[in-house]
Amino acid sequence: MMSRVFAFFAICFLSLPALALEAPDAMIKRVSEEVLDIVRQDKDVQNGDMKKIVALVDAKVLPNFNFQRMTSLAVGRDWRTASPAQKNRLVEEFKMLLVRTYSNALRSYSNQRIDYKPFKMKPGETDVLVRSEVIQPGSQPVQIDYWLELADGKWRVYDVVVAGISLVTNYRSQFSKEVREGGVDGLVASLVSKNQSLEATQGKVVKK
C-alpha cells in the first residue's frame, strides 16, 4: 500500500525550465496538477501502455528527485564502505526500481486528488518539508509528505513519507539485512534481481 501511494504521488512531478526559483510547495502543487491533467486525458496511459508510461516517468519524474542522496540515505552507514563503482551501481539500480514502481502505480490511477497543506519556510532554508494528502474515492485519505533540498538552484525530492513511514527508512532495514548477508555486491545483485522480475511483468525499460 505504501509503495503504491508513494509511487502515485511521485509521478506528479514535472521537469520545467527554471526561469525563476519557485517556492517548493508552489512547485509541487503546480506540476502535480499538470501531470494529473495529462493522466486524466491520456487514454493510452489509462489503458496501461507501459512504453508510454515509462517514457512519462523517465522524462518528467526523474529530474525532480535526488537519487544520489535517496540511495545514500536508504543504504545508510554501509554507503561509506562502498566503492565509487558500487555506489554508481546502487544509484542506478535503486533508481530503476523506483521508476518501475512509479510506472506500475500510474497504471492504477483512479481519480485520486490532492489536498495541499499550509506551508511555512524560513528565509534561507534549503531543506524543507511539504505536506499533502491523497483523497481517494471510497478510502481514507493518506498523508503524503515530501522532503526537498535546494541544490544547484533547483528543489529536488530526497524522501517521501507516506502515512508516517519514510521511503528511505523503509528500504534501509531491508538493504542493511542484504548487506550483512552478502556485502554491498549482494545488495546490488538483489536490486538487479528485483528489477529483472519487474521487467518480466511490465516490459523492458531501457537504462540510460
Side-chain angles (χ1 to χ4, degrees):
M1 176 62 179
M2 173 189 169
S3 62
R4 290 184 62 188
V5 175
F6 156 71
F8 166 76
F9 256 99
I11 66 171
C12 294
F13 290 94
L14 185 64
S15 179
L16 297 174
L19 299 178
L21 181 64
E22 289 184 295
D25 63 320
M27 181 272 286
I28 287 177
K29 181 176 181 178
R30 176 173 57 80
V31 301
S32 295
E33 293 304 323
E34 289 180 359
V35 171
L36 289 180
D37 284 344
I38 293 171
V39 173
R40 292 180 186 119
Q41 297 172 23
D42 194 317
K43 298 301 182 183
D44 292 334
V45 170
Q46 294 172 19
N47 291 331
D49 184 331
M50 282 305 299
K51 183 176 180 180
K52 198 165 187 179
I53 291 171
V54 169
L56 173 66
V57 172
D58 186 59
K60 298 182 176 182
V61 175
L62 300 193
N64 297 283
F65 281 78
N66 185 337
F67 285 103
Q68 177 84 16
R69 186 171 183 191
M70 289 180 77
T71 307
S72 67
L73 289 172
V75 175
R77 62 184 182 184
D78 295 309
W79 180 258
R80 297 193 299 269
T81 66
S83 69
Q86 288 173 323
K87 289 178 179 179
N88 288 337
R89 285 297 306 280
L90 287 169
V91 171
E92 287 304 310
E93 294 299 334
F94 189 43
K95 177 171 68 175
M96 185 60 63
L97 178 63
L98 295 179
V99 168
R100 294 184 187 280
T101 303
Y102 304 160
S103 300
N104 191 53
L106 185 51
R107 297 170 66 184
S108 63
Y109 169 77
S110 57
N111 299 316
Q112 293 93 338
R113 67 179 179 85
I114 311 168
D115 181 18
Y116 305 96
K117 302 303 181 181
F119 174 76
K120 293 183 179 181
M121 182 176 69
K122 297 178 182 178
E125 275 193 303
T126 59
D127 194 296
V128 299
L129 179 66
V130 175
R131 299 181 182 275
S132 67
E133 194 173 60
V134 182
I135 308 301
Q136 306 178 98
S139 301
Q140 291 294 317
V142 179
Q143 185 77 25
I144 308 289
D145 299 334
Y146 300 93
W147 281 105
L148 301 93
E149 67 172 355
L150 179 62
D152 300 322
K154 182 178 177 65
W155 288 102
R156 287 186 173 87
V157 176
Y158 68 86
D159 194 12
V160 181
V161 183
V162 179
I165 302 175
S166 159
L167 171 75
V168 296
T169 300
N170 189 56
Y171 274 108
R172 187 180 298 151
S173 58
Q174 174 186 334
F175 287 0
S176 178
K177 179 177 182 294
E178 290 171 349
V179 171
R180 287 197 306 271
E181 294 177 352
V184 175
D185 285 338
L187 174 56
V188 172
S190 175
L191 289 171
V192 170
S193 178
K194 287 182 176 66
N195 284 326
Q196 289 174 342
S197 295
L198 287 170
E199 179 179 341
T201 57
Q202 294 179 339
K204 187 176 181 180
V205 179
V206 179
K207 288 187 181 182
K208 294 186 175 180

